[in-house]
C-alpha cells in the first residue's frame, strides 16, 4: 500500500485570555535591544524579568525562560546554543519560549528541536514563536508576553500580531493526474518520464549507495535506466571480498572470521565487521544498478569537505554535460536524551545533515546548468519531534529552509520527511527488527520499500513546485 502523504497547514488558535502569573520570574536570554523592550512589557504585566547577556549561561532556575537571540541572528542558533538550552532545561522552568523570524531566516532547525523538547519534557510548555518578517520590537514583545500567558501546549506558534496559528499535519494528495499517472502497470515509468528522467538523464544520490536511497536508485534505474552517480562515506569497495570473510553471511559470522584471523581487540573487530557489511552493500547496489541498465559511478566523499564536494560535482557535470537531479540523504544518528547529550555529538549530527546539504546545493549552484530538482531526505522526527532525537529532528527540520531557498523558477527544492521503512531483501530499512516489533505493538505501520520510491517519483512528477516539504509515512502516527 502506498504511504500516506501529508503537508503542514496552518490552523488558527483561539485568542489568549489569560495573563502572565504575577510575581513570576522570567529569564531573558540575549536579545540585544529587544530584551529591555520585553522586560518593560513583563514588568507591566506583573512579572519579574531577569536579563542575561548573550553568551552567558543563566544561574539558577526561573518560572519561565525566553530565548531572544534567534530573532535577528545572522547564523543559525543551533548547534552553538545547545549547551544553553541544556542548562535552561536542567533548571526545570514551567515555560520556555524562543522567537525567530522564519522567512528568509537562517536554517535554524528550531521547529524540530522544540517539538522534541516537548516530547522529552512533558511537564514543560515549550514554544517556538515565529513572528512576521517586518515585526517591530514592540510587536515582538507583545507577542511574547501574550504567548507566555497561553495555555495550549503548542511547540510552534506563528503570529502576525493579530492571529495566532499552529501547524497541523494534514492528509493531502497529488490530484487526479497522480492517481492515474502510473499507467496500466503502475511501475513508475510514466512518473519518471514526467519528472524528466530518461536514459540520458543524470542523477546524483548523496548517501545513495546504501539504505533507502539505494532503493530509490534501483527504482529510477529500473524505470528509466538513467545515469546514476553515487556519493557516500564508505570507501570505494574492491571488486571482490577477501576469501577469509566472503563465506560469512552476518555479523556473528564476520566476527568469528576476524577473530580466527588473529584480531583480538573487540573494538577493532566491530569496526572491521561494520566496514565489511558497508562495502558489501555498496558493491551490491552498484552491481544491481548496472544489471538494471544504468551507468553507475561511486565516489567516496566526505560531504563536509565542501571543496571536494564541489570538485566531484564539477567532474560529474563535465563527464556528462548535464546534471538533472540531486537526492541528498547523508546523515548520522546518535540518539540520546537532551540532558545526557554530549555537545559534540549534537554538533556532529546537526552539521553532517545541514552542512553537507548546504555543500551539495552550493556545489550544484556553481554549475553552468544545474539540476531541475533537489530532494532532501528528512525525517518524521522533524515533523513530530521525538524523544532522544533533538539533534536529528532539528537537522532535518533545517533542511526545509535550505530546499526552499534553493527553489527558483524552473527548479524545485523538496524536503521529504520519511516515516520508518520496512526492511527489504536487497537493502536494509530504517528500523531494526526490535524497532519493527515495537512499532507493530503500537499500531504503527512501516513504509513498503517498493512503494516508498514510487511515491517519491509521483511527487517529482505531479507535485506542485510551490510545495517544498511533505511527510510520507504509513498509518498509525
Amino acid at each position: 500500500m502506498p504511504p500516506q502523504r501529508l503537508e503542514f497547514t496552518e490552523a488558527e488558535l483561539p485568542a489568549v485570555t489569560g495573563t502572565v502569573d504575577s510575581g513570576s520570574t522570567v529569564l531573558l536570554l540575549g536579545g540585544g535591544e529587544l530584551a529591555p523592550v520585553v522586560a518593560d512589557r513583563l514588568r507591566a504585566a506583573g512579572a519579574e524579568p531577569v536579563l542575561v547577556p548573550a553568551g552567558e549561561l543563566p544561574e539558577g532556575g526561573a518560572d519561565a525562560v525566553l530565548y531572544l537571540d534567534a530573532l535577528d541572528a545572522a547564523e543559525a542558533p543551533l548547534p552553538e546554543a545547545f549547551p544553553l538550552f541544556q542548562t535552561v532545561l536542567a533548571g526545570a522552568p514551567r515555560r520556555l519560549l524562543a522567537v525567530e523570524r522564519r522567512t528568509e531566516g537562517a536554517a535554524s532547525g528550531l521547529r524540530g528541536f522544540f517539538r522534541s523538547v516537548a516530547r522529552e519534557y512533558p511537564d514543560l510548555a515549550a514554544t517556538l514563536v515565529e513572528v512576521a518578517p517586518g515585526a517591530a520590537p514592540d510587536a515582538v514583545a507583545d507577542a511574547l508576553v501574550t504567548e507566555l500567558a497561553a495555555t495550549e501546549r503548542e511547540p510552534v506558534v506563528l503570529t502576525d500580531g493579530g492571529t495566532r496559528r499552529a501547524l497541523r499535519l494534514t492528509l493531502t494528495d497529488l490530484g487526479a493526474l497522480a492517481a492515474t499517472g502510473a499507467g496500466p502497470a503502475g511501475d513508475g515509468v510514466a512518473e519518471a518520464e514526467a519528472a524528466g528522467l530518461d536514459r540520458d538523464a543524470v542523477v546524483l544520490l548523496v548517501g545513495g549507495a546504501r539504505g533507502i536511497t539505494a532503493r530509490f536508485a534501483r527504482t529510477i534505474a529500473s524505470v528509466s535506466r538513467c545515469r546514476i552517480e553515487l556519493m557516500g562515506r564508505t570507501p570505494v569497495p574492491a571488486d571482490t571480498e577477501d576469501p577469509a570473510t566472503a563465506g560469512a553471511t552476518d555479523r556473528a559470522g564476520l566476527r568469528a572470521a576476524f577473530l580466527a584471523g588473529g584480531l583480538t581487540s573487540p573494538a577493532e573487530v566491530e569496526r572491521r565487521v561494520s566496514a565489511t557489511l558497508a562495502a558489501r552493500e555498496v558493491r551490491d547496489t552498484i552491481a544491481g544498478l548496472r544489471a538494471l541498465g544504468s551507468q553507475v559511478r561511486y565516489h567516496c566523499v566526505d560531504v563536509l569537505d565542501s571543496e571536494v564536494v564541489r570538485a566531484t560535482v564539477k567532474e560529474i557535470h563535465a563527464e556528462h554535460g548535464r546534471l538533472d537531479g540531486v537526492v541528498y540523504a547523508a546523515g548520522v544518528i546518535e540518539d540520546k536524551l537532551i540532558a545526557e547529550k554530549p555537545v559534540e555529538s549534537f554538533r556532529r549530527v546537526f552539521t553532517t545533515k545541514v552542512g553537507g546539504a548546504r555543500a551539495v546545493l552550493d556545489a550544484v549552484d556553481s554549475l553552468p546548468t544545474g539540476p531541475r530538482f533537489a530532494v532532501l531526505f528528512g525525517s518524521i522526527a522533524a515533523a513530530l519531534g521525538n524523544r532522544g532525537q533533538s539533534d536529528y529532528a532539528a537537522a532535518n527540520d533545517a533542511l526545509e529552509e535550505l530546499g526552499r531557498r534553493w527553489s527558483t523558477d524552473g527548479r524545485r527544492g523538496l524536503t521529504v520527511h520519511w516515516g520508518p521503512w520496512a526492511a527489504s531483501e536487497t537493502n536494509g530499512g530504517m528500523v531494526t527488527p526490535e524497532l519493527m516489533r515495537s512499532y507493530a505493538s503500537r499500531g504503527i505501520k512501516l513504509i513498503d520499500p517498493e512503494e516508498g520510491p514510487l511515491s517519491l517519483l509521483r511527487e517529482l512528477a505531479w507535485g506542485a513546485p510551490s510545495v517544498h516539504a511533505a511527510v510520507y509515512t504509513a498509518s498509525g502516527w
Side-chain angles (χ1 to χ4, degrees), residues 148-169:
L148 198 59
T151 56
E152 305 101 344
R153 289 180 173 269
E154 292 290 345
V156 180
V157 171
L158 288 64
T159 178
D160 56 10
T163 60
R164 301 166 57 246
R165 302 175 308 285
L167 294 171
R168 298 282 183 262
L169 278 178

Side-chain angles (χ1 to χ4, degrees), residues 77-92:
L78 295 171
E80 280 67 23
F82 179 65
L84 177 62
F85 283 117
Q86 279 186 311
T87 300
V88 166
L89 292 168

Side-chain angles (χ1 to χ4, degrees), residues 71 93 95 148 154 170 206 212-213 215 236 340 343 346-347 372 383 402 407 413 468:
L71 182 64
R95 199 81 169 93
L148 198 59
E154 292 290 345
T170 306
V206 184
I212 66 171
T213 325
R215 282 297 313 170
V236 178
E340 303 167 357
V343 174
F346 190 104
R347 185 185 307 279
R372 295 189 300 275
L402 293 180
S407 298
H468 302 301

Side-chain angles (χ1 to χ4, degrees), residues 210-221:
R210 304 176 61 195
I212 66 171
T213 325
R215 282 297 313 170
F216 182 64
R218 288 174 183 267
T219 297
I220 61 174

Side-chain angles (χ1 to χ4, degrees), residues 158-236:
L158 288 64
T159 178
D160 56 10
T163 60
R164 301 166 57 246
R165 302 175 308 285
L167 294 171
R168 298 282 183 262
L169 278 178
T170 306
L171 284 171
T172 57
D173 58 41
L174 295 172
L177 185 62
T180 59
D187 56 7
V189 173
E191 280 84 349
E193 182 179 351
L197 298 178
D198 56 22
R199 197 177 188 93
D200 293 326
V202 180
V203 179
L204 168 64
L205 297 106
V206 184
R210 304 176 61 195
I212 66 171
T213 325
R215 282 297 313 170
F216 182 64
R218 288 174 183 267
T219 297
I220 61 174
S222 67
V223 299
S224 71
R225 293 177 175 80
C226 65
R227 293 174 285 184
I228 295 176
E229 299 280 344
L230 302 171
M231 185 185 295
R233 292 182 301 165
T234 302
V236 178

